[in-house]
Amino acid sequence: MDETNLRGKLAVVTGGSDGIGLGLAHRLARAGAEVIIPVRNAAKGRAALERIGGNSSMRTLDLASLASVAALADRLNEEGRPIDILINNAAVMTPPTRHTTADGFELQFGTNHLGHFALVARILPLLIAGRARVTTQSALAAAMIGKMNWEDLQFEHAYKPWPAYSQSKLGTMLFGLELDRRSRANGWGITSNVAHPGFTQTNLQAAGPTMGGSRSQFDAMFRLFAPIGWPVQRVEGGLRPAFHAATSPAAEGGRFYGPRGLGHLTGAATEERIYRSARDPREAARLWDVSCDLAGVTFA
């Protein structure tokens, strides 16, 4: 795939109405791709389309609802267009109190991991037809947790914002890596990899904490340092690892990409060592099976 010329390619970017997702969608459209942004807020989506430009359109999606995921998948399957690029980018981060999805899952696990997992399962034929590049966003926070909390996967007994967020992002990493392994084993032709944006200023730092009615000091710190460029960068910098992973001929499946600067916080895209917590294929296979059961999907 040529990252400078994506004419004729169809790209789907979740979370494409704001932040890194919006930046990715704009960059893909600028390179000539047709871009679909599945969004929850139609007004916000229409405003985003004006900024994305090119051949872009929106669909409806709430990743916190498996019914909404199924409805989007049904529509995409009915349209029948093979998908060349899928970037699983949308996320919610660290609400101070425990929230649940429409299906009763802890909000961060349900949105960040299960919603994307179910979407990929339901549009698998389109991804296979397009021999797609699937890039799933993880986060630095995935390195903060040693393993999945199998005894309390939904944090029903002892909810803490950061461990729950870290687990959701470890889940996305395990999923992205396992998808590539299964693609190779089953001959799906899908190239799946994982990326993270380092420290990037977006509305993500405020959206989660304000679900509890207050702003985050973390958000204030990001706003303070983003103009300096380290240890926080703006969206144009934060999108680079995922864009590289999704489009560059040098980016491979089963790999992990992030910023190359000090601490992998900012900078141009580079390949990183997979976090220790995500290196065991048995953990990834276990999460895959559990996720199939929870989301009610299969990868046929």
Side-chain angles (χ1 to χ4, degrees), residues 15-19 21-23 25-26 29 37 39 41-54 56-58:
S17 63
D18 198 5
L22 176 57
H26 175 66
I37 55 166
V39 300
N41 184 317
K44 195 173 179 180
R46 287 190 291 270
L49 292 179
E50 294 183 6
R51 296 178 60 183
I52 294 166
S56 58
S57 59
M58 71 175 179

Side-chain angles (χ1 to χ4, degrees), residues 18 22 25 56 74 93 121 193 202 218:
D18 198 5
L22 176 57
S56 58
D74 287 346
M93 188 176 80
N193 53 31
T202 69
F218 195 55

Side-chain angles (χ1 to χ4, degrees), residues 135-139 172-173 193-197 241-243 245 255-258:
T135 295
T136 301
Q137 289 274 35
S138 185
T172 64
M173 178 176 282
N193 53 31
V194 184
H196 81 89
F243 185 79
R255 305 296 177 89
F256 177 42
Y257 298 92

Side-chain angles (χ1 to χ4, degrees), residues 55-265:
N55 187 5
S56 58
S57 59
M58 71 175 179
R59 306 289 187 275
T60 300
L61 173 65
D62 180 359
L63 283 163
S65 164
L66 292 176
S68 178
V69 172
L72 171 65
D74 287 346
R75 180 170 178 183
L76 293 175
N77 285 318
E78 287 170 6
E79 292 171 0
R81 288 280 309 279
I83 296 172
D84 300 281
I85 298 168
L86 170 64
I87 304 182
N88 295 319
N89 167 78
V92 61
M93 188 176 80
T94 62
T97 58
R98 186 177 183 272
H99 293 256
T100 57
T101 69
D103 306 282
F105 304 118
E106 189 277 316
L107 183 64
Q108 296 171 98
F109 182 77
T111 302
N112 302 351
H113 168 61
L114 277 181
H116 286 118
F117 183 90
L119 178 62
V120 170
R122 291 185 179 279
I123 62 171
L124 187 65
L126 302 180
L127 299 172
I128 292 173
R131 300 188 65 82
R133 185 83 65 94
V134 178
T135 295
T136 301
Q137 289 274 35
S138 185
L140 286 163
M144 297 168 57
I145 188 168
K147 64 174 184 176
M148 301 295 292
N149 183 6
W150 296 113
E151 291 72 32
D152 189 15
L153 198 61
Q154 304 298 332
F155 283 86
E156 294 175 279
H157 304 299
Y159 175 79
K160 294 181 179 179
W162 275 107
Y165 176 69
S166 297
Q167 175 174 266
S168 76
K169 285 302 186 176
L170 174 57
T172 64
M173 178 176 282
L174 289 168
F175 167 51
L177 298 174
E178 183 67 8
L179 177 60
D180 194 73
R181 282 189 285 266
R182 300 208 177 208
S183 175
R184 293 173 188 271
N186 292 293
W188 292 340
I190 295 168
T191 299
S192 175
N193 53 31
V194 184
H196 81 89
F199 278 5
T200 303
Q201 181 202 353
T202 69
N203 287 330
L204 189 63
Q205 291 84 36
T210 53
M211 293 179 72
S214 63
R215 293 192 69 82
S216 167
Q217 292 181 348
F218 195 55
D219 176 45
M221 185 271 285
F222 269 49
R223 291 178 182 275
L224 176 64
F225 285 103
I228 300 172
W230 194 91
V232 180
Q233 61 191 344
R234 288 179 166 152
V235 165
E236 307 83 65
L239 66 82
R240 289 183 290 186
F243 185 79
H244 172 82
T247 65
S248 172
E252 301 179 36
R255 305 296 177 89
F256 177 42
Y257 298 92
R260 70 175 54 167
L262 181 64
H264 296 291
L265 303 180

